[in-house]
Amino acid sequence: MLTIGDKFPAFSLKAVESADLPKDFPVLNQDSFEGKWKVYVFWPKDFTFVCPTEIVAFGELNEDFADRDAVLLGASTDSEFVHVAWRQSRDDLKAVAYPWLADIKKELSAALGILDKEEGVANRATFIVDPDGIIRFVSVNDLSVGRNPKEVIRVLDALQTDELCPCNWQKGEETLKAA
């Protein structure tokens, strides 16, 4: 699995940005949103139980990520058509404003090393990537356990200080000074 300090892999994937079926799906890659921090949120499968709770919770913080000069990107190994159908099937997912990547060939998930060995789908993985494309944070959960999006915001805030941040540090608090 790729980790802190590794370059986020090159990719080119179709994206779904709403519940509307577009004429052409936009294609995003590692250079999309140049100069921005990127937060990649992978989930195992569309039309499941834990995934929508996370997707909606991250979506509720989308403006908070944008305020931090960060772009939120969702991804699973489902196709762009499955992403659209799932968004269309649930009002809470229709309201989600960040793009979902369709890693149907599993190339990005495999390059990141986050494919579940038994299920063959992406684990619940979160990557914070700096504007230079370097992975600065990685978290991977079991398929059955959802994430805490507010913790991802907290870590992003800490990374953006470029300072030493103690346990449970929150934006606006003092950072540590090396002796």
Side-chain angles (χ1 to χ4, degrees):
M1 185 174 85
L2 295 185
T3 191
I4 308 306
D6 290 336
K7 186 86 168 163
F8 198 82
F11 69 92
S12 180
L13 297 172
K14 291 181 181 177
V16 173
E17 299 177 317
S18 73
D20 300 323
L21 186 62
K23 185 174 182 177
D24 293 309
F25 290 95
V27 175
L28 299 179
N29 63 43
Q30 71 284 349
D31 297 324
S32 298
F33 312 105
E34 190 173 342
K36 302 269 187 191
W37 287 77
K38 295 171 197 74
V39 178
Y40 294 90
V41 178
F42 288 79
W43 60 85
K45 297 178 187 178
D46 293 0
F47 291 97
T48 57
F49 306 101
V50 177
C51 300
T53 66
E54 294 183 308
I55 293 165
V56 169
F58 274 102
E60 290 169 351
L61 297 177
N62 194 34
E63 287 185 28
D64 294 317
F65 284 104
D67 289 345
R68 289 156 172 84
D69 207 26
V71 177
L72 186 59
L73 298 152
S76 82
T77 55
D78 291 293
S79 76
E80 64 275 21
F81 295 103
V82 174
H83 283 340
V84 169
W86 198 28
R87 282 185 186 239
Q88 290 174 344
S89 76
R90 295 179 56 128
D91 288 338
D92 56 351
L93 295 178
K94 284 179 189 173
V96 173
Y98 60 92
W100 300 357
L101 303 174
D103 187 21
I104 192 156
K105 293 182 185 177
K106 304 179 183 182
E107 292 171 339
L108 181 56
S109 298
L112 290 165
I114 60 168
L115 286 175
D116 184 82
K117 291 176 184 173
E118 290 186 25
E119 295 291 325
V121 296
N123 279 302
R124 292 184 195 286
T126 308
F127 293 85
I128 298 177
V129 179
D130 71 18
D132 295 321
I134 304 302
I135 298 170
R136 301 287 301 278
F137 170 84
V138 178
S139 175
V140 181
N141 290 19
D142 186 271
L143 296 177
S144 65
V145 179
R147 290 163 277 206
N148 180 343
K150 289 181 181 178
E151 173 63 5
V152 177
I153 288 275
R154 187 193 75 78
V155 171
L156 177 62
D157 284 340
L159 288 169
Q160 289 181 337
T161 69
D162 209 23
E163 301 279 337
L164 299 172
C165 297
C167 176
N168 296 320
W169 178 89
Q170 296 291 323
K171 188 174 186 173
E173 293 179 355
E174 290 291 318
T175 56
L176 300 173
K177 304 298 178 215

